């Protein structure tokens, strides 16, 4: 069983708004990544060089801030057809969709989407906004994911993209979802970094189906950010957030992670087995 990177941004960056793309432009890897975005085979070669077996390709719809539209779902579905064993397609449905529950079913059945992303700071709503009547469509989205056993990845923590509303990045806003949809698998992306690590850790310990995913945190600093992590290694997922701002290379991140003073079984769980549980291989 190989390593899974649970958070990679293979996204249609040509759809980004110029001011959002400028953030990637200064820190991103440039021309080489553009080739990966257009040619899955080249990206798979890159994963081989990094020592990574599988990558979860996190795509989402956020027209008002980053600029991604529903075409992101078609993009990631098509991309992952190159190797569904190694590439896991994650897409998204906005709660304002006319029939969000049916759309989740369509993404799973027709496009082969295997997880849903919710990005509250970029999508401009709280993940629990079904509880106060602001985004009632969220209830249908979570219910459909629970029924279809699709994990939901929720961005927790801040974002530096223009227009982001970071008040929606608090992990505690996800607690309602964990309570109301107890069979739903929830991944707290970025573990609430840099403001709310303790909240994210609390939820992952408290709820059997809530996982803590550590992408975006410099791996060498992981145990500073999450001092309790060694006691929760069956609920932690490795991810890089590559090629997001400040993340140069997946292989470098992986090597830094392996240098942490964790027992080998814990490293094995975080890099491979936990991800197999949350993102199982494609059904035959
Ligand atoms: Zn991300």
């Amino acid at each position: 069983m190989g390593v899974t990177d649970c958070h990679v941004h293979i996204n249609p960056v040509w759809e980004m708004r110029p001011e959002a793309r400028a953030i990637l432009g200064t820190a991103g890897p440039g021309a080489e990544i553009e080739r990966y975005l257009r040619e899955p085979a080249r990206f798979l070669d890159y994963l081989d060089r990094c020592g990574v077996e599988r990558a979860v390709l996190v795509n989402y719809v956020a027209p008002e801030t980053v600029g991604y539209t529903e075409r992101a779902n078609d993009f990631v579905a098509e991309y992952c057809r190159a190797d569904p064993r190694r590439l896991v397609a994650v897409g998204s449905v906005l709660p304002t969709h006319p029939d969000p529950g049916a759309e989740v079913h369509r993404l799973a059945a027709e496009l082969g989407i295997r997880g849903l992303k919710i990005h509250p700071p970029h999508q401009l709503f709280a993940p629990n906004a079904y509880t106060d009547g602001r985004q009632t469509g969220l209830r249908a989205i979570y219910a459909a994911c629970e029924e279809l056993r699709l994990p939901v990845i929720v961005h927790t923590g801040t974002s530096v993209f223009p227009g982001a509303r970071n008040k929606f990045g608090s992990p505690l806003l996800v607690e309602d979802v964990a309570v109301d949809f107890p069979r739903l698998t929830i991944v707290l992306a970025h573990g609430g970094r840099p403001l709310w690590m303790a909240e994210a850790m609390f939820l992952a310990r408290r709820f059997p189906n809530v996982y803590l995913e550590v992408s975006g945190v410099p791996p060498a600093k992981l145990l500073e950010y999450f001092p309790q992590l060694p006691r929760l290694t069956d609920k932690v997922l490795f991810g890089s957030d590559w090629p997001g701002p400040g993340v140069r290379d997946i292989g470098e991140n992986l090597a830094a992670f392996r240098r942490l003073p964790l027992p080998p079984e814990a490293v094995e769980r975080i890099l491979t087995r936990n991800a197999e549980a949350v993102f199982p291989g494609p059904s035959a």
Side-chain angles (χ1 to χ4, degrees), residues 6-7 23 29 31 36 63 76 85 116 148 162 181 195 209 231 252-253 271 275-276 280 282:
C6 292
H7 199 122
I23 300 251
Y36 296 158
V76 72
R85 194 185 60 80
L116 241 72
L148 294 169
F181 302 90
L195 301 180
N209 295 327
R231 287 192 281 153
E252 258 175 43
N253 269 33
L271 292 178
E276 289 284 338

Side-chain angles (χ1 to χ4, degrees), residues 7-14 16 21 23-44 46-47 49 57 59 68 75 79 240-245 247-250:
H7 199 122
V8 173
H9 284 288
I10 291 286
N11 304 136
V13 296
W14 45 88
M16 283 183 125
R21 193 155 181 192
I23 300 251
L24 288 186
T26 53
E32 189 60 15
I33 168 81
E34 291 270 348
R35 280 195 285 275
Y36 296 158
L37 298 180
R38 296 184 195 269
E39 297 174 56
R42 272 181 191 262
F43 176 63
L44 288 164
Y46 173 63
L47 290 181
R49 292 198 298 281
L57 306 188
N59 275 263
Y68 294 135
F75 165 82
Y79 194 94
S240 65
D241 209 22
W242 181 89
V247 185
R248 263 191 315 205
D249 180 62
I250 296 174

Side-chain angles (χ1 to χ4, degrees), residues 193-215:
R193 70 90 182 83
L195 301 180
W196 301 291
M197 286 80 73
E199 286 185 15
M201 185 56 83
F202 168 78
L203 294 182
R205 296 183 76 174
R206 163 96 180 71
F207 295 98
N209 295 327
V210 173
Y211 288 78
L212 184 91
E213 179 255 83
V214 295
S215 69

Side-chain angles (χ1 to χ4, degrees), residues 6-7 56 58 90 116-118 151-155 187 189 213 279:
C6 292
H7 199 122
V56 178
V58 179
V90 170
L116 241 72
K117 173 75 177 284
I118 303 274
V152 171
I153 302 171
V154 185
H155 175 106
V187 175
E213 179 255 83
F279 302 102

